[in-house]
Structure formats: structure tokens, C-alpha cells
Amino acid sequence: MRRLFTILVAITAIIAGAAVLQLKLAVQERADKVKAIAAQIHEDREAIRVLEAEWAYLTNHGRCRTNQYVSSR
């Protein structure tokens, strides 16, 4: 009886260990995906800042007036 109990406990421990390992790998995979998405968001925000700066430069009224003056000559 004691031997059967020991075997059942050992099997349960092995199954629980395998489940914890599988869970750890799944969590690590999700964490890697989150890191990749966060890096992509950072790159996109930086690109947006550059585009906003370019837009501000291109729509600068002083610059537009200068270009009108030069093109009207």
C-alpha cells in the first residue's frame, strides 16, 4: 500500500512539473511578444515625431511666404 502511494505521488509530481514547465514556456513566449510589440510601438512613436516635425517645417507660414515670393518673381 505504501509503495503504491509513493508511486502515485511520484507520478503526480512529474505531471505537475511538466505542467509548470509548459506554463513557464508559454509565459516566456508571451513576454517575448510583448517586448517585440513594445519595441515596435517605440519605433512607431519615433517615426510619428519625425513626421510631425517635417510637417511643421513644411507648413511653416514664413517658409511658405518665402516660396511664394520666390516663385512669383
Side-chain angles (χ1 to χ4, degrees), residues 61-73:
H61 292 295
R63 183 179 175 279
C64 291
R65 285 190 206 125
T66 304
N67 284 343
Q68 282 181 335
Y69 178 73
V70 169
S71 64
S72 66
R73 281 184 140 190

Side-chain angles (χ1 to χ4, degrees), residues 6-72:
T6 305
I7 291 172
L8 288 176
V9 168
I11 291 172
T12 304
I14 291 171
I15 292 172
V20 168
L21 179 63
Q22 184 178 5
L23 180 62
K24 176 190 172 208
L25 294 175
V27 168
Q28 193 163 15
E29 182 180 337
R30 295 262 174 115
D32 292 342
K33 286 181 182 180
V34 168
K35 283 183 182 179
I37 291 170
Q40 184 64 45
I41 288 171
H42 178 71
E43 290 174 12
D44 290 346
R45 285 183 177 164
E46 192 63 33
I48 288 170
R49 280 190 216 120
V50 170
L51 291 172
E52 287 175 342
E54 288 178 5
W55 182 256
Y57 175 75
L58 292 173
T59 59
N60 184 332
H61 292 295
R63 183 179 175 279
C64 291
R65 285 190 206 125
T66 304
N67 284 343
Q68 282 181 335
Y69 178 73
V70 169
S71 64
S72 66

